[in-house]
Amino acid sequence: CTEESLENYYNPNTDPTVLSKIVYLTSDSATVLNDLEDDKIYVIGGIVDRNRLKGVAMDRAKELGVSTAQLPLDKHLSKMTSTRVLTCNHVFDLLLRHRENNNDWGKALQQVLPSRKDAHIKKSGEQ
């Protein structure tokens, strides 16, 4: 964890491959994160852009030339009645639980999302 900016902390001038290792997590991404890769650096909660700053995280990632991805909520949730905005702690816990549960997003979501989210995990075979 650092307060330093992404481009200062991971300097492409000292390591030209570093930008290819960074994945900026944002719900605005068209890419769905299906699996975690050991050699990737996942950036969580850089900018919360739900209303006033919509799209800022995506724009920043494009500006830096780093990959983006969103969590696979639609793939694993049949319903979530409250907001789909997750805290940084929830996202971090989801990434950890995903690994602990042999890469099972459904189990991770079930364990991490608070009951107030009223999240329903899709059953096996459900679209």
Side-chain angles (χ1 to χ4, degrees):
C1 188
T2 181
E3 292 184 16
E4 221 175 323
S5 69
L6 186 64
E7 61 269 29
N8 288 340
Y9 193 76
Y10 296 107
N11 188 339
N13 294 326
T14 43
D15 180 2
T17 66
V18 74
L19 293 180
S20 67
K21 297 176 187 175
I22 297 173
V23 179
Y24 205 121
L25 298 176
T26 173
S27 61
D28 292 325
S29 180
T31 304
V32 176
L33 183 66
N34 291 310
D35 297 306
L36 298 176
E37 298 177 44
D38 292 338
D39 65 334
K40 298 291 184 185
I41 302 161
Y42 296 95
V43 178
I44 302 170
I47 301 170
V48 176
D49 58 2
R50 180 174 145 202
N51 293 320
R52 190 172 65 89
L53 300 173
K54 185 73 177 148
V56 170
M58 233 1 235
D59 293 343
R60 184 74 174 131
K62 284 179 187 173
E63 179 184 318
L64 294 172
V66 299
S67 299
T68 62
Q70 62 170 282
L71 295 175
L73 299 180
D74 291 334
K75 184 175 181 181
H76 297 280
L77 296 177
S78 60
K79 171 182 138 184
M80 189 159 81
T81 55
S82 75
T83 177
R84 296 174 81 83
V85 175
L86 303 177
T87 66
C88 293
N89 288 348
H90 287 142
V91 175
F92 184 76
D93 285 346
L94 279 168
L95 298 177
L96 288 177
R97 297 293 181 156
H98 171 72
R99 281 292 172 95
E100 288 174 359
N101 290 304
N102 297 314
N103 303 320
D104 186 327
W105 284 111
K107 280 185 184 174
L109 289 162
Q110 210 166 25
Q111 292 171 341
V112 172
L113 294 181
S115 58
R116 71 178 182 280
K117 293 279 187 188
D118 194 26
H120 299 266
I121 307 301
K122 287 183 179 178
K123 293 178 178 80
S124 184
E126 184 179 347
Q127 294 292 344

